[in-house]
Amino acid sequence: MAMSSARASPRQSPKIGASSGAPLGSGAFELHGLGELPPVVAKEICTFVALLRRRQDLPSIEAARRTLKIMREVVTHTAARDVSWLIESIKRAGGMLVAAKPHELAIGNMVRRVLHVVREELHDAPAAGTGGAGA
């Protein structure tokens, strides 16, 4: 009998991003990594994560749209020193969104799609830059 109660305790551990003292659903959570993101992006992420954590019904298409809006804000407002810094910012913001609702696959798919586009532009940028310099 004591074994069954011991097995139940790991399930009660706090989730990633939740503060250690507050329960998960209380709204008093802290998202780690927001300090490196611009304030506009951090506010958007906090608003969307709060919506996801309240377990409100959100259609997948709306989750995808909100995710892309946040990714656009990340790309627009991040003072990227280089492309690797931009990719890390996108991964950080996307990781926070996915952690808020891991079962919503559209969020992770949109983050990966944005990362693919950024990497594709990085791959194509040197080829486009050398062709225009000689003309």
Side-chain angles (χ1 to χ4, degrees), residues 9-54:
S9 62
R11 292 181 185 165
Q12 296 172 356
S13 64
K15 301 258 183 193
I16 296 173
S19 64
S20 59
L24 185 60
S26 69
F29 56 87
E30 179 183 333
L31 295 171
H32 302 288
L34 282 178
E36 293 87 16
L37 296 172
V40 175
V41 176
K43 182 179 177 186
E44 288 285 332
I45 290 173
C46 285
T47 303
F48 188 46
V49 165
L51 178 78
L52 292 172
R53 288 191 177 188
R54 278 182 281 185

Side-chain angles (χ1 to χ4, degrees):
M1 295 251 177
M3 292 295 283
S4 63
S5 64
R7 289 183 184 171
S9 62
R11 292 181 185 165
Q12 296 172 356
S13 64
K15 301 258 183 193
I16 296 173
S19 64
S20 59
L24 185 60
S26 69
F29 56 87
E30 179 183 333
L31 295 171
H32 302 288
L34 282 178
E36 293 87 16
L37 296 172
V40 175
V41 176
K43 182 179 177 186
E44 288 285 332
I45 290 173
C46 285
T47 303
F48 188 46
V49 165
L51 178 78
L52 292 172
R53 288 191 177 188
R54 278 182 281 185
R55 302 185 195 278
Q56 292 182 351
D57 288 332
L58 187 69
S60 290
I61 188 73
E62 186 60 31
R65 284 185 182 137
R66 297 279 301 260
T67 302
L68 285 177
K69 179 183 176 191
I70 291 171
M71 292 295 109
R72 183 172 45 234
E73 294 289 329
V74 169
V75 171
T76 303
H77 290 87
T78 300
R81 296 182 277 247
D82 56 3
V83 178
S84 63
W85 178 258
L86 177 63
I87 289 173
E88 286 302 315
S89 297
I90 293 170
K91 283 182 179 180
R92 186 178 304 115
M96 287 182 241
L97 297 177
V98 170
K101 193 165 187 181
H103 295 292
E104 184 58 66
L105 300 178
I107 295 171
N109 288 343
M110 291 300 108
V111 172
R112 283 189 297 277
R113 186 175 288 254
V114 169
L115 285 169
H116 174 72
V117 169
V118 169
R119 289 179 182 130
E120 191 174 79
E121 287 295 319
L122 174 64
H123 184 289
D124 293 344
T130 58

